[in-house]
Amino acid sequence: MPLSLNLSPDKQREMLRQMLTIRRFEERASADYLAGKIYGVVHCYIGEEAVAVGVCSALEKSDRIISTHRGHGHSIAKGADLKRMMAELYGRRTGYCKGKGGSMHIADFGIGMLGANGIVAGGIAIVTGAGLAAQMEGKGGVAVAFFGDGASNAGPFHECLNIAASWKLPMLYVCENNLYAAQTAAAATHALSDIASRAAAYGIPGLVVDGNDIVAVYQAASRAVDRARSGAGPSLIECKTYRWRAHTERRNQPDPREKEEIEAWKKRDPILALERRLKEEGGLDEGERSTMEREVLAALEEAVAFAERSPFPLPEEAGEDVFSA
Amino acid sequence: MRELSYSEAALEAIAEEMRRDPRIFYMSTDPILPLLQEFGEQRIKATPITEAALTGIGIGAAGSGFRPIVDWRQVTFCFVAMDQIVNQAAKIHYMFGGQVSFPLLFRATVGGGGRVAAQHSQSPYSMFMNVAGLKMFLPSTPYDVKGLLKTAIRDNNPVISFESSRLLRLKGPVPEEDYTIPFGEALVRREGRDATIVALAWLVHEALAAADELDKEGISVEVVDPRSLVPLDAERIRASVQKTGRLLIADEAGPTAGFSAEVAALVSEDRATFARLKAPPKRVCALQVPIPYSPVLENHVFPDRNRIAAGVRELLKA
């Protein structure tokens, strides 16, 4: 029985659309960054789309997530508005953070997106607090920490897995193991090849999942979400995946990875994999695929146009929002 | 009026606020027993000794509609949470464009005199004053600690309550009825003509003792207690210095880039106040060293009433 059987074609098409949206958004963000329209630094999520979309497809809008410096994908997967995202990247007042955050700090608390976070492992504790809040609210909410292989070596990962396990917090810890922490290979800094095996130290389930197989990600996440909602506590899910692009979009960004390795992973494109599966199962034809592509690009163009016609903040707005009223 | 100790007054503030608002909960490595007995382990959480995680969890719970209190106990323990304090708590409201509030109280004792050596005798509040996005206060009396804690708990921002370890057993009048003390309001503890002493916490009491001593010599000293560090009541400090023409700042922390430097700058850069100065501002601070253990060494490091009085006499000679 195909793994995808318990996912309706509609839901799978929606997943495909979201992954495609992330990919096209990132391509545009990279291009506009190199064109000087987006400032600072941009980290692209291309190649890892199945993780954000697979996990977020298993969540409700009221569930909360936190992201990393590579946060566009999680924002889109949780339902963020492309216009406000792009406006934020463009440094405009209409952006999610009124131009105060930029690419590394997209947040939308209204949809449970507690922010991209520029500090590796910085968000893990914060979203564990959201998990504690969900437990205290008692409405069955869950919280999800997205983080990378690099963060799994940092203190907050271990501290929070221990606390979440001890307190049975409704948490998913989703490690996107893209094999590199910035430019350093995970193999050089991890004694064990599977980060998920660390779950045993905290007495919680640890699963290794093919992070480029969105159905596998969705199913693992769904089981972990069920477990969390039932009060049984947190899970650690390690999604093995790969980022196609360098750590950041900076020109001359050093990238020590072998070309062959990058090319081999590109052959395992998560978007193409779902597309093929859907077509094989009769859930998508060429015409629908082209329409989807057109609609995704149109939404992106609309977002870019919104960003471009949005005003920059007034300089003195730099003094606002330091404190809440 | 009835008297409570500084730590009893703090506890009372927390208990009263927790009765008033069910969204408040408390995290600390060892739960405070009276709170645990009254509010139970759901709201008084015993935690592992992981201040980084606790601080972050507090931020996340605050952003999710709760009003957490994270008790670091001694300020020294919060240094393992500096990423969460500086990169996250202080910036999260601003960085995300003010989307939601983060009502969050941190508690930490500061100060020396306990013969517990360098790591447990610190007064690093100026490090935090330097970070935009945090409010903080350092009370000198039981009355103030209660009123300021209540204000902090009702504030919609991360606030650090620095509480003086030397004053925990100090008794003073505390009314039974509900009251709060606004941030950014310094208090003139004693009025005087010849010099202003700006002092914090324990050193407020030392400054008052020095003022008594100086009074016998015919020197009239005004003692100003800022109470809150961020926001800092520059206006009242300047007004006092404009009146007396002389400023001494007494701080249990070292002088370098410290609270004392900030007060000296606030006074000196203000034209009206600078014009009234009859002498350069003087700082009486701890030596710029880690705090040593042996009583002979530790006593030498900290300022006290004698050094404050000597400093005021020097100001008057200038």
Side-chain angles (χ1 to χ4, degrees), chain A residues 16-47:
Chain A
L16 182 64
R17 177 189 300 275
Q18 285 185 23
M19 287 201 290
L20 201 59
T21 302
I22 294 170
R23 175 136 332 159
R24 298 295 175 249
F25 185 94
E26 296 295 55
E27 287 165 354
R28 186 61 187 258
S30 173
D32 287 2
Y33 174 76
L34 292 171
K37 295 178 182 175
I38 294 171
Y39 315 97
V41 64
V42 167
H43 304 80
C44 283
Y45 194 64
I46 294 176

Side-chain angles (χ1 to χ4, degrees), chain A residues 37 39 86-93 95 98-99 102 311-313:
Chain A
K37 295 178 182 175
Y39 315 97
M86 199 54 96
E88 187 58 36
L89 267 58
Y90 270 62
R92 306 303 165 110
R93 165 192 239 182
K98 305 180 192 168
F312 280 101

Side-chain angles (χ1 to χ4, degrees), chain A residues 165-189:
Chain A
S166 301
W167 295 356
K168 291 203 177 336
L169 297 184
M171 291 289 311
L172 268 65
Y173 293 93
V174 178
C175 179
E176 301 175 330
N177 185 354
N178 65 16
L179 304 181
Y180 291 85
Q183 280 110 38
T184 300
T189 56

